């Protein structure tokens, strides 16, 4: 039932109806998925506004293009693999194979930690080379983008740990759903990283 | 399967029954307790902001009299007063307080869908309030940058609180946004996923619609404040130049260069204008319900009211730059924002017409909430009309830096929502506590508050047209101002002190009625909505006893022709409705 049909219905009519447009209520997804989608909307709004600020700030004469560290390519590959691992875990848990799904989850977590370590290494390379946040806005945006993105991954890992606990307690019904949500979150953060990385490379 | 509401699946809804005093009242996951925690915290910090405003009024009304109010303290008071009132009081009270209390009860859910996150939301909010309060005690005091925290002056020497003050302010804002996001995800998801059987979107009371759309606005707009907060924090702490231009400060060249203060203004107001509606939409929703219940009439144009809420929500994202007409923007840009500003007045005016038309030929009960409803409609029209003046570039530019603006936004954004909050507290207090608030004290509180606030803000419009500049600590000998200006300023200050003292009567009533108030019936206002149909009053943990309610009708079946009583609860099936021609002689309320 489309949203338009819903909000054009006349609620004062058909008192007593519990089916059809006047009474039916069928959520299209679970509460957790709705919560996640809303959260991703919030995060998108934040990154979008950062990107707008980035483009606006770039117009200024003092902007000096930052040469992005090569390690970012390696990090990107690692994050793609982490995302693939999460998807595999989700697929396996849907097919009721919690044991193998757990392996992929551990793999995804390790790869994500490697990615974060790689980002820290990129920071270190830049700092050693003298690219401080205060010396140019391009540097400052680089630290800001990578830092906030990594922070979101850390939050995701916290949820993964909680998921691991559920799996150990053999709470498979809840865990199955949460694995799928984690996979969505990881894909989303991969997408955000690809957008940010493309932006940083181009400018 | 026609019906799979989450709220009905008790095995999926972990209710976390409270086991002890601490889990019941402190680390509580019950939406009702969290609502009260949010409300009390918001009111407490709001009282601080009220005292700050009195400090400002003392200085303005009687300059050179109070030596303890220095220019620095005056600016700190302005900044903290504005920030606390808009964010930490109004947003927190309307969404964290009313949102938490009303959503699950009005949509027929046992609790919010993520109770743990809901609890966390309150505690992070409290932390943000404490961090804000801490800024009063750091060296240099809280920031005095003005409530909009515009750079470059927010972080430059000469502005009070450029050390710890501004940093704590920004950290506190970031914490508030984290808290709001956790709460907001709960409100939206609960409305979308946890409604009881029969509760379609269009059967929801308008209070829920207002809170729901305001929360979506908040979730999308607060990130703008987060982005500005983080970047300004880095400018203040690390010396980056996101917003800081090359500038001479105290005769010395700063190390910053190239940053854009105008970018800050755009980002800030991209949050700041939807923020007006984050406060206004819940207030609109609550007023719609109050007017309908106390006029014993269905709300006029329910669908229009919902569409207007949605339209206002959408348009509120494209009006932000009307706060920046004096920033030197391109005239075409100004024209665009003036046009959108005037367009948003259409759905807003439509709502006002519908409230008035609901009152028209209604069976109006002059209860305390109804007084506040009428006071609100009056005040909102006043504030709204001066908004049309300021929405036009040519009129705004000469008035922008005057008291006209102070008068306008306090009418529309200060007095109006506060009247709604008072009305709502008088209305729902019996549900929350099981006792009625004292009626006489309520009426005295209403009349003194209404006339008192008009004595404060109406003259400000006149002062503004005279050219009295806002933001100034003292006017000194200003030749273009009439001598009467100072007398009027003194009068405003006396009125402000008077209104503040009157609020003590309200606080006393809240406290006194808790113990001595008349015991409330289950449904004292004879309302149709679900929160009044709970088996217990006040509702206990889980809200509904063993069975969730089933909704058979919309929320506004008042004075239905042919029905024996002038209201039909949402839970009543058509076959159970007592007819006027039946041999029904039951007492009012027998079927509750």
């Amino acid at each position: 039932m489309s949203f338009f049909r819903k909000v054009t219905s006349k609620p004062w009519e058909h008192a007593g109806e519990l089916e059809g447009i006047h009474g039916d209520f069928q959520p299209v997804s679970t509460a957790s998925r709705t919560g996640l989608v809303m959260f991703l909307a919030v995060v998108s709004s934040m990154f979008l506004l950062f990107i707008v600020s980035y483009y606006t700030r770039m117009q200024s004469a003092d902007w000096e293009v930052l040469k992005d560290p090569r390690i970012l390519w390696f990090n990107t590959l690692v994050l793609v693999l982490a995302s693939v691992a999460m998807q595999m875990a989700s697929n396996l848990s849907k097919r009721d194979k919690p044991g193998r799904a757990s392996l992929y989850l551990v793999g995804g977590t390790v790869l994500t930690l490697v990615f974060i370590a790689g980002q820290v290494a990129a920071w270190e390379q830049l700092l050693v080379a003298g690219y401080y946040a205060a010396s140019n806005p391009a540097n400052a945006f680089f630290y800001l983008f990578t830092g906030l993105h990594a922070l979101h991954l850390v939050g995701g890992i916290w949820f993964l740990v909680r998921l691991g606990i559920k799996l150990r307690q053999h709470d498979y019904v809840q865990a199955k759903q949460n694995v799928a949500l984690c996979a969505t979150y990881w894909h989303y953060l991969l997408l955000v990283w690809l957008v940010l990385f493309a932006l940083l490379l181009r400018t | 399967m026609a019906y799979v509401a989450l709220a009905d699946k008790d095995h999926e809804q972990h209710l976390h029954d409270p086991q002890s005093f601490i889990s019941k009242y402190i680390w509580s996951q019950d939406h009702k307790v969290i609502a009260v925690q949010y409300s009390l915290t918001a009111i407490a910090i709001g009282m601080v902001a009220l005292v700050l405003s009195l400090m400002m009024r003392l200085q303005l009304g009687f300059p050179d009299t109070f030596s303890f109010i220095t220019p620095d303290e005056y600016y700190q008071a302005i900044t903290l007063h504005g920030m606390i009132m808009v964010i930490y009081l109004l947003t927190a009270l309307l969404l964290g307080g009313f949102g938490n209390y009303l959503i699950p009860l009005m949509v027929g859910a046992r609790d919010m869908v993520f109770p743990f996150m809901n609890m966390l939301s309150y505690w992070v909010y409290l932390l943000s309030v404490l961090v804000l309060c801490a800024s009063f005690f750091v060296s240099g005091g809280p920031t005095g940058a003005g409530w909009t925290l515009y750079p470059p002056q927010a972080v430059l020497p000469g502005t009070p609180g450029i050390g710890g003050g501004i940093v704590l302010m920004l950290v506190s804002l970031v914490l508030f946004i984290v808290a709001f996001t956790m709460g907001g995800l709960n409100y939206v998801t609960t409305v979308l996923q946890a409604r009881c059987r029969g509760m379609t979107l269009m059967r929801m009371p308008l209070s829920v619609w207002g809170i729901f759309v305001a929360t979506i606005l908040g979730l999308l707009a607060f990130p703008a404040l987060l982005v500005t907060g983080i970047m300004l924090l880095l400018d203040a702490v690390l010396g980056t130049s996101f917003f800081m231009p090359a500038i001479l400060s105290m005769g010395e060249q700063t190390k910053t260069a190239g940053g854009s203060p105008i970018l800050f203004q755009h980002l800030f107001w991209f949050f700041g204008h939807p923020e007006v509606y984050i406060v206004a939409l819940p207030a609109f929703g609550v007023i719609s319900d109050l007017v309908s219940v106390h006029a014993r009439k269905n709300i006029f144009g329910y669908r229009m009211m919902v569409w207007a809420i949605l339209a206002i929500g959408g348009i509120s994202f494209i009006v932000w730059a009307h706060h920046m007409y004096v920033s030197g923007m391109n005239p075409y840009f100004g024209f665009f924002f003036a046009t959108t500003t005037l367009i948003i007045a259409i759905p807003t005016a439509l709502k006002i017409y519908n409230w008035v038309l609901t009152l028209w030929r209604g069976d109006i009960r002059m209860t305390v909430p109804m007084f506040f409803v009428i006071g609100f409609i009056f005040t909102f029209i006043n504030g709204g009309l001066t908004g049309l003046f300021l929405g036009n570039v040519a009129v705004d530019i000469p008035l922008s830096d005057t008291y006209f603006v102070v008068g306008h936004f306090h009418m529309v954004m200060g007095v109006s929502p506060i009247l709604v909050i008072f009305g709502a507290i008088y209305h729902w207090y019996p549900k929350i506590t099981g006792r009625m608030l004292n009626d006489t004290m309520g009426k005295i509180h209403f009349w003194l508050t209404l006339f008192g606030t008009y004595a404060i803000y109406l003259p400000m419009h006149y002062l503004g047209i005279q050219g009295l500049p806002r933001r100034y600590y003292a006017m000194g000998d200003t030749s273009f101002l009439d001598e009467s200006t100072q007398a009027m300023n003194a009068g405003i200050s006396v009125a402000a002190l008077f209104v503040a003292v009157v609020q003590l009567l309200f606080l006393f009533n809240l406290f006194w009625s808790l113990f001595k108030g008349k015991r409330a019936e289950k449904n004292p206002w004879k309302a149709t909505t679900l929160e009044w149909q709970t088996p217990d009053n006040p509702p206990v943990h889980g809200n509904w006893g063993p069975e969730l309610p089933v909704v058979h009708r919309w929320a506004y079946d008042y004075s239905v022709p042919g029905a024996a009583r002038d209201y039909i609860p949402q839970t009543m099936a058509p076959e159970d409705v007592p007819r006027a021609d039946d041999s029904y002689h039951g007492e009012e309320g027998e079927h509750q």
Side-chain angles (χ1 to χ4, degrees):
Chain A
M1 193 186 305
S2 72
F3 183 72
F4 182 75
R5 255 194 84 199
K6 275 182 194 161
V7 297
T8 50
S9 67
K10 295 177 178 172
W12 53 88
E13 294 177 349
H14 306 280
E17 258 190 44
L18 292 172
E19 306 295 329
I21 196 163
H22 297 286
D24 196 9
F25 168 48
Q26 201 162 3
V28 287
S29 62
T30 63
S32 307
R33 183 156 287 279
T34 307
L36 177 67
V37 169
M38 289 308 299
F39 179 66
L40 296 187
V42 175
V43 179
S44 305
S45 173
M46 184 191 78
F47 277 111
L48 200 66
L49 287 160
F50 269 124
I51 290 170
V52 169
S53 310
Y54 184 83
Y55 268 108
T56 313
R57 188 65 183 82
M58 259 177 63
Q59 315 301 324
S60 183
D62 65 329
W63 185 274
E64 286 170 22
V65 176
L66 177 71
K67 196 168 180 313
D68 301 300
R70 280 172 174 274
I71 194 174
L72 294 184
W73 286 99
F74 170 75
N75 294 351
T76 307
L77 180 67
V78 172
L79 193 61
V80 170
L81 291 176
S83 200
V84 170
M86 300 303 292
Q87 187 57 45
M88 292 295 287
S90 173
N91 293 349
L92 285 167
S93 73
K94 268 183 205 152
R95 280 188 261 143
D96 286 324
K97 292 181 179 163
R100 286 184 64 198
S102 306
L103 279 180
Y104 276 100
L105 281 179
V106 172
T109 312
V110 171
L111 285 165
T112 308
L113 289 171
V114 171
F115 171 83
I116 294 171
Q119 298 291 77
V120 173
W123 278 34
E124 201 178 350
Q125 286 179 17
L126 286 174
L127 289 172
V128 168
Y131 292 101
Y132 301 117
S135 37
N136 198 270
N139 311 351
F141 270 110
F142 178 86
Y143 293 117
L144 198 58
F145 284 167
T146 49
L148 281 171
H149 180 260
L151 209 58
H152 281 83
L153 281 173
V154 171
I157 289 174
W158 184 65
F159 274 96
L160 267 184
V161 171
R162 284 185 45 175
L163 180 60
I165 294 168
K166 279 209 167 66
L167 278 173
R168 281 188 73 88
Q169 292 166 345
H170 304 286
D171 182 1
Y172 295 128
V173 180
Q174 185 71 35
K176 198 194 283 189
Q177 189 191 59
N178 289 1
V179 176
L181 295 180
C182 280
T184 307
Y185 187 64
W186 251 257
H187 300 334
Y188 170 81
L189 284 182
L190 173 66
L191 181 72
V192 170
W193 172 246
L194 293 177
V195 170
L196 293 178
F197 188 37
L199 189 72
L200 292 168
L201 279 180
R202 275 178 54 84
T203 50
Chain B
M1 184 172 60
Y3 169 66
V4 283
L6 181 85
D8 212 17
K9 292 182 180 175
D10 277 0
H11 65 276
E12 283 196 19
Q13 181 94 8
H14 303 296
L15 276 174
H16 302 281
D17 286 324
Q19 307 292 332
S20 64
F21 178 84
I22 289 183
S23 62
K24 193 169 180 187
Y25 294 111
I26 299 176
W27 302 115
S28 174
Q29 299 189 23
D30 186 315
H31 70 103
K32 299 180 290 296
V33 178
I34 295 172
V36 173
Q37 289 174 325
Y38 250 114
S39 305
L40 292 179
T41 311
I43 291 172
I45 193 70
M47 295 307 287
V48 174
L50 187 70
V51 171
L52 292 173
S53 70
L54 295 182
M55 271 178 62
M56 280 142 55
R57 282 317 316 177
L58 283 178
Q59 166 59 28
L60 290 170
F62 313 99
D64 308 323
T65 313
F66 301 98
S67 57
F68 62 89
I69 307 170
T70 62
D72 276 5
E73 283 157 357
Y74 179 81
Y75 287 117
Q76 288 166 330
I78 279 195
T79 307
L80 272 288
H81 167 78
M83 198 57 104
I84 290 173
M85 288 297 196
V86 172
I87 309 254
Y88 298 86
L89 171 68
L90 288 177
T91 309
L93 188 53
L94 284 163
L95 295 177
F98 289 116
N100 255 315
Y101 198 86
L102 294 178
I103 290 174
L105 280 169
M106 281 187 151
V107 302
R110 295 202 180 277
D111 207 317
M112 290 287 179
V113 290
F114 310 120
F116 179 77
M117 199 158 78
N118 206 23
M119 176 184 79
L120 215 54
S121 162
Y122 168 70
W123 289 101
V124 178
Y125 163 64
L126 181 67
L127 181 65
S128 77
V129 170
L130 293 176
V131 170
L132 184 76
C133 292
S135 75
F136 282 98
F137 303 101
V138 295
S139 148
T143 177
W147 90 273
T148 52
L149 306 177
Y150 279 178
Q153 106 281 1
V155 293
L156 285 182
T159 305
I162 57 156
I166 183 75
V167 171
L168 288 177
M169 175 82 255
L170 294 168
V171 169
S172 166
L173 282 176
V174 170
L175 287 170
F176 181 90
I177 295 163
V178 171
F180 174 82
T181 306
M182 289 193 284
L185 292 175
N186 252 311
Y187 314 151
V188 171
T189 313
T190 304
V191 170
L192 289 177
Q193 298 283 349
R195 303 191 305 276
C196 68
R197 187 166 191 214
M199 180 60 86
T200 55
L201 286 176
M202 294 303 274
R203 277 178 176 166
M204 293 196 307
L206 287 163
S207 294
V208 178
W209 265 109
I211 294 167
F212 173 60
V213 176
T215 307
I216 294 175
L217 291 192
L219 288 173
L220 298 177
F222 267 111
L225 185 64
L226 184 75
V227 166
T228 37
I230 291 173
M231 291 202 282
L232 189 59
L233 193 61
L234 293 176
D235 278 2
V237 176
L238 293 184
T240 53
S241 303
F242 289 112
F243 302 125
M244 296 298 288
I247 197 167
L248 276 176
S249 170
M250 303 281 181
E252 283 182 30
Q253 179 76 44
T254 61
K255 286 182 182 164
T256 56
S260 168
I262 297 290
L263 171 63
F264 177 94
Q265 292 190 23
H266 278 296
L267 286 170
F268 181 86
W269 288 112
F270 187 76
F271 146 76
H273 201 84
E275 167 63 22
V276 173
Y277 292 98
I278 292 167
V279 171
L281 290 182
F284 290 171
V286 167
I287 279 296
S288 305
D289 283 348
L290 261 52
V291 78
S292 185
V293 173
H294 296 274
R296 315 308 294 160
K297 217 179 130 189
N298 62 303
I299 190 80
F300 188 91
Y302 174 86
R303 288 193 303 171
M304 281 289 175
M305 294 299 246
V306 172
W307 299 343
I309 287 175
L310 292 169
I312 291 170
I315 304 170
S316 74
F317 277 101
I318 48 166
V319 296
W320 80 89
H322 68 211
H323 296 272
M324 300 165 55
Y325 289 150
V326 292
S327 67
M329 65 171 65
N330 185 316
Y332 290 113
F333 206 56
F335 174 75
F336 172 81
F337 283 99
T339 309
T340 54
T341 303
L342 296 183
I343 288 173
I344 205 170
I346 297 170
T348 315
L350 190 147
K351 295 191 82 69
I352 296 172
Y353 285 124
N354 283 0
W355 292 322
V356 176
L357 287 166
T358 306
L359 287 172
W360 175 253
R361 305 185 78 174
D363 179 10
I364 298 175
R365 309 281 163 89
M366 290 316 285
T367 55
V368 178
M370 181 49 101
F371 277 107
F372 280 98
V373 166
I374 296 170
F376 162 80
I377 295 175
F378 241 80
T379 311
F380 194 71
I381 291 173
N382 273 327
L385 287 177
T386 49
L388 293 182
F389 284 60
L390 295 172
N392 286 289
V393 186
V395 186
D396 177 77
I397 287 174
L399 288 175
S400 183
D401 285 326
T402 72
Y403 267 80
F404 192 89
V405 172
V406 183
H408 157 71
F409 79 68
H410 277 92
M411 278 290 192
V412 83
M413 181 96 184
V415 183
S416 297
I418 287 289
L419 289 175
V420 177
I421 287 169
F422 284 143
I425 291 175
Y426 283 100
H427 182 79
W428 278 295
Y429 189 85
K431 178 57 32 189
I432 299 166
T433 64
R435 288 181 188 268
M436 305 295 287
L437 277 168
N438 182 285
D439 226 38
T440 313
M441 275 195 263
K443 284 175 183 166
I444 296 172
H445 173 227
F446 168 74
W447 285 112
L448 297 185
T449 303
L450 188 80
F451 283 122
T453 47
Y454 273 71
I456 300 171
Y457 299 113
L458 270 188
M460 282 192 189
H461 293 85
Y462 169 73
L463 290 176
I465 290 170
Q466 273 219 326
L468 183 71
R470 61 185 168 125
R471 306 194 183 99
Y472 283 29
Y473 166 71
M475 294 308 144
D477 296 322
T478 314
S479 57
F480 65 87
L481 289 174
D482 192 82
E483 276 182 16
S484 64
T485 306
Q486 188 47 46
M488 204 171 261
N489 245 337
I492 290 174
S493 295
V494 172
L497 286 166
F498 174 73
V499 170
V501 172
V502 170
Q503 304 320 306
L504 296 178
L505 179 69
F506 171 68
L507 292 180
F508 174 75
N509 195 358
L510 280 187
F511 188 73
W512 183 84
S513 301
L514 195 58
F515 302 102
K516 303 275 184 183
K518 197 177 90 184
R519 282 203 182 278
E521 303 164 37
K522 267 189 192 170
N523 188 357
W525 311 114
K526 314 285 179 227
T528 59
T529 39
L530 283 187
E531 81 276 24
W532 299 104
Q533 323 303 333
T534 54
D536 305 282
N537 191 42
V540 295
H541 190 66
N543 294 344
W544 304 106
E547 292 287 322
L548 280 172
V550 176
V551 165
H552 293 272
R553 58 188 67 246
W554 72 326
Y556 299 98
D557 267 342
Y558 291 101
S559 307
V560 177
R565 293 181 302 183
D566 69 350
Y567 72 107
I568 308 173
Q570 281 192 282
T571 47
M572 193 172 274
E575 57 273 20
D576 297 333
V577 177
R579 316 292 304 176
D581 49 3
D582 285 353
S583 53
Y584 174 79
H585 299 296
E587 287 293 312
E588 286 267 298
E590 188 181 286
H591 281 249
Q592 288 162 21

